Amino acid sequence: MKNLKQILAIVMLFSVALVTAQQTVYVAAESGLSLRDQPDVNGKMLSKLAYGEAIRIIENTDKKLVILDAGEKVSGEWVKVETRNHIGYVFNGYLSHTKISKTIRLHLDKLDVEIKNLATSDFKRTHNLKQQDSTTINVDVNASVEGKEIVLVENDYKHVSIFQLYENSISFMSEDAQCESKDWKHFDSAWKPLKQIKSNTFETLAYSENDWKNFIKTSLDDLKTEVTDQCGEDWVNYFKKIEKVKDHPVGISTKRVFLKFILTDFEDNITEKVIEFKMPSGC
């Protein structure tokens, strides 16, 4: 009986250790975190993990590391982790056990802006627009600009308005290669004001199914002349078969989303800033 209790105790300890090791953590390095094939700074880099990305620790190595970051020492050790695409090693000095909001920060002349929970593919979390009128943000795969909170921080403007625009694209396909649209045709939606949730908080818009249907209707009307010239009048009849959004033979994609900030100061001077969100291919 005593031996059985000892065996059970060992099994429980092993299970606790396993659960502890296989824990979900989040990347806390704003510039991204290197994933390497060995627990060494000279190991081959497999990929760069995005700020806020969730990964799973599968093994502690007990291999210590201290690095100097902006004059401050960061201590930790190498841990073996599993990501969406790789298994490798990272330095745990830049890992958080608390889920991280993937905040993007915009610094304007008299205003700071935070865009909440948006994953990017370029690891750039801060954009300075004090001396420039626009900037580009590369959206990560499977991420969306829609339904995101935008918070105005340290606002010293009399009035701030925010508008959103979609650049959607359409192509048409045919059994005859000469009648295919090889280049995506771009069509912009109208600028629409963002929903204001609080005095300092807005929410980005979502493109509804009705919006898509309207887009198809208007964009196909614009394409009819080109299709007729390339393929003949009969081919236009294919469009009449479309019953659902994004139905064959039409392909639709959102290529870019834009936000426009209209800033009015206390002397009624107006400044405009434009944020371009570049969507990954296939979105």
Side-chain angles (χ1 to χ4, degrees), residues 169-172 180-186 223 226 230 255:
S169 301
I170 186 168
S171 70
F172 55 90
E180 290 188 357
S181 174
K182 296 179 181 178
D183 298 320
W184 291 88
K185 308 301 177 183
H186 304 304
L223 279 174
E226 180 181 347
Q230 290 187 24
K255 295 297 183 181

Side-chain angles (χ1 to χ4, degrees), residues 12 25-26 29 82 98 103 155 158 192 206 210 217 262 282:
M12 289 179 65
V25 292
Y26 304 89
E82 182 179 23
T98 304
T103 301
N155 181 16
K158 179 181 177 181
K192 293 184 178 180
N210 284 334
K217 180 179 178 181
I262 300 180

Side-chain angles (χ1 to χ4, degrees), residues 35-40 42-46 87-89:
L35 176 72
R36 300 188 182 276
D37 68 341
Q38 299 292 330
D40 191 288
N42 296 316
K44 178 183 176 182
M45 191 169 78
L46 301 174
I87 291 178
Y89 298 86

Side-chain angles (χ1 to χ4, degrees), residues 1 54 56 102 194 210 233 257:
M1 190 68 176
R56 191 166 63 93
K102 301 169 185 176
L194 263 58
N210 284 334
E233 187 71 35
V257 180

